[in-house]
Amino acid sequence: MTAEIICVGTELLLGDILNTNARFLARELAELGIDLLHQQVVGDNAARLEKLVREAKSRSDLLIFSGGLGPTADDLTKETVARCFNDELVFEPSVMQSINAYFLATGRSTPKNNEKQAMVPQKGGWFANPNGTAPAVWFREGAKYAVLLPGPPRELEPLWSGAVRPMLQRDQQRVLHSLVLRVAGVGESHAEELVGHLFQSENPTAAIYAKTGEVHIRITAAAPTNMEAKAMCRAYAQKFYALLGDAVYGEGEDGLENVLVKTLAKKNLTVATAESCTGGLVAQRITAVPGSSEVFGFGFVTYANAAKRQLLGVDPMTLAECGAVSPQVAAQMAAGAQKAAGASLAVALTGVAGPGGGTEEKPVGLVWLGAAKGERIFVKELRFGPRSRESIRWMAASAALDAARRLAAGLPIPGAEAWGKTEKGKP
């Protein structure tokens, strides 16, 4: 079965409302094994909506609509789809009773225009809406279906889960399962060189997506049951693990900070941070994870050289001779943070985030990463190029989180140089 999602509402086109319904419905269709071909947004205009519905109907089996089921004159989805599916709307007394009860429960009388919401398809059907006044309705013509859902997510999601999804499940012969691998420290191009041949498979399929500071690989399998599809994804994922190794830091929704906190907790370790160009972003991402207080207690934002000296013990001579953006300072920042916090390990960042401040020797996008664990210190040069300030800061923070993850797990930091041992907090 093929499907399209059509979200109706001028407010969506203008950007006044975030279209979370499309994301929700897309994921739900994928879980049902229904192939989603298109997503469309159209304003409250009957002519444009009708044109879109007829086009979508000609190429897809199932049309899922959100929005345009309200009581006002510009809510035209139901009437337009009925016309395209050669159906008529008829008044349903039981729906009107539900609408009256809804308003009575709030101490209000039912407005006359809400009677419009009690009109349902003569040939199709409808589903009661316990969270609002507009029922979901469905139309059918031959092998083509249309399902219309109200726009508010608090109404749409329960209607989908309680009524629409079970109806569609009965007609499905397969399910889809997806598994996302999260990769850090390897760019999209390099990753594709390593595993590109694995993207040629038809079932399971695999696709690569570049994110800021990391890469995601989505593996999707189709099978008669979810258990079979899940097993196919797991088996295919092992091929990626074999080629990418510990660059695959996690799966699913957990980001670098989540994996770091879990790893530290498992190993009974703590981490400290020292940040210059990122201004506390690494610490912010760590503390956004529930339970991070068990593994994180100190974060130093040492934007000025004086702060680097006073809080982290960076040598004034090093700052004068090498400059703040240097491997020497990054190493001393990491060692100083570890010592001051009494932490098991520490990471530090100092660089040029831009847009100004760069030189030929130290251009915008140059960041030095320092990492310390026990008596060992490492430094790594990061060059992000002429990106936006926000992008450079985020990518640098991701590199620091990945370095901390690797130190906590006892893994090497690719491209890092061993800088020696700490002595009184200095290399």
Side-chain angles (χ1 to χ4, degrees):
M1 179 180 285
T2 59
E4 299 195 21
I5 296 172
I6 300 175
C7 299
V8 183
T10 301
E11 67 278 7
L12 295 173
L13 284 177
L14 296 177
D16 291 337
I17 295 178
L18 183 63
N19 189 5
T20 59
N21 287 339
R23 181 184 183 188
F24 170 80
L25 292 170
R27 290 181 170 182
E28 289 290 313
L29 290 171
E31 288 187 9
L32 289 171
I34 297 173
D35 295 324
L36 179 61
L37 302 184
H38 299 275
Q39 291 187 27
Q40 308 278 355
V41 177
V42 62
D44 298 303
N45 180 285
R48 287 194 290 270
L49 177 58
E50 181 169 348
K51 180 181 178 182
L52 176 58
V53 173
R54 294 192 184 280
E55 289 176 355
K57 183 185 175 189
S58 70
R59 64 196 178 201
S60 299
D61 305 316
L62 171 66
L63 312 184
I64 305 289
F65 295 80
S66 73
L69 300 183
T72 59
D74 62 345
D75 291 306
L76 301 169
T77 304
K78 191 164 49 178
E79 293 80 356
T80 304
V81 177
R83 189 160 54 249
C84 295
F85 275 74
N86 297 307
D87 202 342
E88 293 183 4
L89 298 176
V90 296
F91 183 79
E92 173 54 53
S94 63
V95 175
M96 195 66 234
Q97 290 175 6
S98 298
I99 295 173
N100 289 333
Y102 179 89
F103 279 99
L104 181 63
T106 62
R108 296 175 292 168
S109 60
T110 305
K112 181 69 175 177
N113 59 4
N114 278 91
E115 292 181 2
K116 175 184 177 182
Q117 294 180 301
M119 304 295 289
V120 300
Q122 187 176 47
K123 301 176 184 176
W126 55 276
F127 302 110
N129 180 2
N131 300 301
T133 57
V137 300
W138 58 269
F139 297 88
R140 178 180 179 181
E141 186 175 19
K144 305 287 185 174
Y145 288 86
V147 176
L148 282 59
L149 295 160
R154 68 178 184 83
E155 299 178 33
L156 179 146
E157 293 179 14
L159 276 167
W160 172 272
S161 301
V164 179
R165 181 179 173 122
M167 178 181 74
L168 296 176
Q169 279 180 314
R170 290 192 292 269
D171 295 333
Q172 282 304 102
Q173 302 299 315
R174 64 172 187 163
V175 297
L176 295 185
H177 180 80
S178 291
L179 172 64
V180 175
L181 304 182
R182 289 173 169 256
V183 181
V186 179
E188 181 185 18
S189 299
H190 188 201
E192 193 155 13
E193 286 181 355
L194 293 172
V195 298
H197 62 286
L198 296 177
F199 300 136
Q200 308 306 314
S201 172
E202 293 186 1
N203 189 28
T205 60
I208 190 168
Y209 304 93
K211 304 292 183 179
T212 304
E214 61 185 84
V215 170
H216 294 179
I217 296 172
R218 178 180 291 275
I219 302 168
T220 303
T225 68
N226 186 64
M227 182 178 295
E228 292 175 85
K230 188 174 181 179
M232 290 171 65
C233 284
R234 176 54 56 197
Y236 208 62
Q238 298 310 308
K239 298 180 182 293
F240 287 92
Y241 276 102
L243 295 170
L244 294 171
D246 54 31
V248 181
Y249 74 82
E251 298 180 359
E253 296 295 324
D254 281 352
L256 274 166
E257 51 268 38
N258 300 81
V259 173
L260 171 60
V261 169
K262 289 179 180 178
T263 304
L264 290 166
K266 182 178 180 180
K267 301 285 187 177
N268 196 29
L269 300 172
T270 57
V271 66
T273 59
E275 303 179 64
S276 182
C277 60
T278 47
L281 181 57
V282 180
Q284 188 276 327
R285 289 175 64 176
I286 292 173
T287 55
V289 180
S292 57
S293 60
E294 299 298 320
V295 299
F296 179 81
F298 291 77
F300 302 89
V301 179
T302 54
Y303 213 60
N305 284 350
K308 294 177 178 67
R309 294 193 304 267
Q310 295 169 19
L311 297 178
L312 302 175
V314 175
D315 190 336
M317 290 296 294
T318 304
L319 286 164
E321 294 174 2
C322 303
V325 182
S326 63
Q328 294 86 350
V329 169
Q332 291 187 21
M333 287 174 64
Q338 182 187 19
K339 180 182 178 182
S344 309
L345 58 101
V347 288
L349 293 167
T350 179
V352 186
T359 65
E360 185 175 346
E361 181 183 358
K362 298 179 179 181
V364 171
L366 171 65
V367 178
W368 283 99
L369 164 67
K373 182 181 181 183
E375 294 185 341
R376 296 175 299 155
I377 303 175
F378 304 89
V379 294
K380 182 177 181 178
E381 182 183 35
L382 307 170
R383 287 187 177 264
F384 300 119
R387 298 172 178 267
S388 69
R389 180 178 179 85
E390 180 183 31
S391 177
I392 290 169
R393 283 159 52 92
W394 186 268
M395 293 179 74
S398 295
L401 290 167
D402 189 46
R405 169 188 75 93
R406 288 177 169 277
L407 285 181
L411 299 171
I413 304 172
E417 177 186 354
W419 203 256
K421 296 182 178 181
T422 61
E423 181 182 348
K424 297 182 181 179
K426 299 177 184 177

